Amino acid sequence: MSEAGTFRKIIDSPLWLQILVALGLAAIVGLVVDVDTTILGASVYGILNYFGTLFVNALKMIVVPLVVATIIVGVANMAKQEAFGRVGGKTVGLYIATGLISVVTGLIFVNLVSPGHTESAQLLVDSVSVSSAQATVLEKVEGRSSMDIFEILLRAVPANILQAALEVQLLALIFVGVVFGFFMSRLQGSAGDTLRVFWDGVHDVMIMITMWIMRFAPIGVFALVGKVLIQSGWEAFQPLVWFFLTVFLALAVHFFVWLPLLLKYAGGIRPYAYYGKVLRAQLTAFSTASSSATLPVTLDSAEKAGISRKVTSFVLPLGATVNMDGTALYECVVVIFIAQLYAYTAGVDFTIGQQLIVVFLALVTSIGVAGVPAASLVAIALILPAVGLPVEWIGIVLVVDRLLDMCRTSVNVTSDLTISALIASSEKEELEDLRAA
Ligand code: ASP
């Protein structure tokens, strides 16, 4: 076959396959390349960083218009149908239920595996002399208190819409979109019609741009994952292996067991058939570690799987900021892990009561966590002092944070997708391809 033919064949193969191959190649690059490796005089790490940033920038570029248009269109459609209150109530109920299941799974795993009761405890505790990366995180989290949770909710009503858009404050934009969409649906006459057609158009164009950006996903994924593996290297894991495995296993149970069971028994949907259809979104979440940047892909793949725009446009953008099962689980495991290490020096372990407080705080703060990489760390920095643990110890988990971020973001996005399928099913949407026989 000619080279052009081979190239055509690669381009025409399914996107998910291209992304999986890109992941495999990135893993190989992570093994053979280090930060100083150069190719023709250019740093490999630098090149990957460049293309990874380009891809994430492209996704971020459309987030604000996409979220605003999607929410406005979704709410306007729903408000028209009198289903608003019902769907809203069910959605929030499911956000809370899946979040709770997830944190409790994390709690059970961290108690069973007990990664902080280890001989390397002293080693880990000693390692928190401040490195430059840690210093940046500490700078970000310094002076925070648990009162910030209320502040986060306060900011959901922006004093200045333009500023909210400039700073990509998604909760605020969602609030504005909900209010605008609701009143737009009440607007009579040609002005109302024109507005509705306009926002529908904006939304469609944004989805088209998303699909175009996704053509570059294999390159983006290769660059982003390769870069992370070169940077953190596999050695970084050794002292943290058990911690890593605890988070990983707990996330896997939520991803492969609880969410599929919900889909199957609460929604009558074949879980893995659905996962197959939304794999692109799960993989994009994995490589970008950002629910917000993934949102365009999440919306697109849910609609392709047959879920109506009425449901996706409400459940998914809201879910991308407030429904974070993986994040809540991670926060819980990190805090209990640090408490276990602390017990090594102080000699007292957390009581069940204290652990339940952590569960509660993890759930509540995960609502305020932004859908961007490493956002959990800020929430963890709120919880640690609130339960009497040293905030600097957050530095212990930093080396493995990024890889776990990729995993928990996949779980966050999958939970949003699961809930949108459950809502669609309960609203009697057809979803023929996904129904259990
Ligand atoms: N990166 C996560 C997300 O975007 C948030 C976090 O847990 O840090 O969903």
Side-chain angles (χ1 to χ4, degrees):
M1 196 184 300
S2 71
E3 270 176 30
T6 317
F7 185 67
R8 201 54 273 152
K9 227 176 154 185
I10 294 176
I11 295 283
D12 288 343
S13 64
L15 193 56
W16 61 264
L17 187 64
Q18 294 181 28
I19 300 180
L20 276 182
V21 171
L23 273 176
L25 291 177
I28 297 174
V29 167
L31 280 179
V32 295
V33 170
D34 62 38
V35 186
D36 305 317
T37 312
T38 56
I39 196 164
L40 298 174
S43 145
V44 175
Y45 177 84
I47 297 173
L48 293 181
N49 192 19
Y50 183 84
F51 284 102
T53 311
L54 208 56
F55 179 63
V56 175
N57 278 359
L59 283 172
K60 283 188 183 160
M61 168 183 88
I62 51 173
V63 164
V64 169
L66 179 70
V67 167
V68 174
T70 305
I71 285 278
I72 290 178
V73 170
V75 169
N77 283 340
M78 227 184 308
K80 205 166 59 197
Q81 303 186 15
E82 307 288 325
F84 194 34
R86 192 179 68 226
V87 172
K90 276 195 284 197
T91 306
V92 173
L94 281 169
Y95 286 162
I96 298 174
T98 55
L100 198 61
I101 295 172
S102 177
V103 191
V104 171
T105 306
L107 184 70
I108 293 173
F109 269 85
V110 72
N111 278 293
L112 282 182
V113 182
S114 245
H117 295 134
T118 153
E119 285 178 2
S120 3
Q122 195 60 51
L123 200 78
L124 286 171
V125 173
D126 290 344
S127 74
V128 275
S129 59
V130 182
S131 72
S132 64
Q134 286 164 221
T136 339
V137 172
L138 289 177
E139 228 166 72
K140 262 202 237 163
V141 301
E142 224 160 75
R144 301 262 182 170
S145 74
S146 29
M147 283 312 284
D148 284 13
I149 297 160
F150 296 102
E151 179 117 339
I152 288 165
L153 294 179
L154 195 66
R155 278 206 304 260
V157 183
N160 181 336
I161 298 182
L162 289 183
Q163 193 183 2
L166 280 178
E167 291 173 3
V168 199
Q169 299 174 16
L170 283 189
L171 267 187
L173 293 177
I174 288 171
F175 178 78
V176 174
V178 169
V179 175
F180 189 93
F182 181 80
F183 287 106
M184 185 175 85
S185 74
R186 305 279 133 131
L187 191 61
Q188 308 285 337
S190 63
D193 292 339
T194 309
L195 265 185
R196 285 185 283 272
V197 172
F198 169 79
W199 283 107
D200 261 337
V202 174
H203 181 254
D204 288 348
V205 171
M206 288 305 146
I207 294 281
M208 286 158 83
I209 299 180
T210 308
M211 280 155 59
W212 174 68
I213 296 173
M214 279 315 284
R215 304 280 302 232
F216 300 94
I219 302 173
V221 166
F222 171 70
L224 290 168
V225 177
K227 177 191 133 185
V228 170
L229 291 180
I230 292 177
Q231 200 172 26
S232 36
W234 297 105
E235 305 85 61
F237 290 95
Q238 257 121 48
L240 286 166
V241 158
W242 288 111
F243 165 75
F244 187 90
L245 284 179
T246 309
V247 178
F248 188 81
L249 287 177
L251 286 173
V253 166
H254 194 64
F255 186 96
F256 288 111
V257 182
W258 302 142
L259 294 177
L261 281 177
L262 266 177
L263 280 169
K264 185 160 183 209
Y265 292 106
I269 288 166
R270 287 182 296 137
Y272 289 107
Y274 184 53
Y275 275 22
K277 293 201 185 258
V278 297
L279 185 65
R280 250 177 341 124
Q282 293 167 328
L283 291 176
T284 309
F286 182 79
S287 51
T288 59
S290 164
S291 311
S292 301
T294 309
L295 184 57
V297 190
T298 319
L299 282 164
D300 186 48
S301 43
E303 279 177 31
K304 289 244 168 65
I307 298 171
S308 73
R309 187 171 288 182
K310 191 183 94 191
V311 171
T312 55
S313 57
F314 177 70
V315 177
L316 293 176
L318 194 59
T321 41
V322 306
N323 180 51
M324 296 207 170
D325 295 3
T327 295
L329 182 156
Y330 181 67
E331 289 176 24
C332 175
V333 174
V334 171
V335 175
I336 307 280
F337 169 62
I338 290 181
Q340 289 170 349
L341 290 176
Y342 195 67
Y344 182 86
T345 39
V348 268
D349 250 325
F350 261 21
T351 61
I352 283 289
Q354 281 169 307
Q355 298 208 13
L356 291 182
I357 292 177
V358 174
V359 166
F360 174 75
L361 290 177
L363 257 186
V364 175
T365 51
S366 74
I367 296 173
V369 167
V372 296
S376 298
L377 296 177
V378 176
I380 293 168
L382 295 183
I383 303 178
L384 287 175
V387 293
L389 292 170
V391 74
E392 317 77 62
W393 285 26
I394 200 174
I396 294 173
V397 300
L398 280 190
V399 261
V400 288
D401 181 70
R402 181 58 186 229
L403 273 173
L404 291 172
D405 199 359
M406 294 155 84
C407 303
R408 66 186 184 253
T409 306
S410 276
V411 171
N412 289 345
V413 167
T414 305
S415 168
D416 300 337
L417 284 162
T418 298
I419 294 176
S420 68
L422 291 178
I423 300 280
S425 170
S426 78
E427 290 293 301
K428 310 273 179 297
E429 288 185 12
E430 277 194 14
L431 310 172
E432 322 138 356
D433 286 0
L434 303 172
R435 290 286 180 201

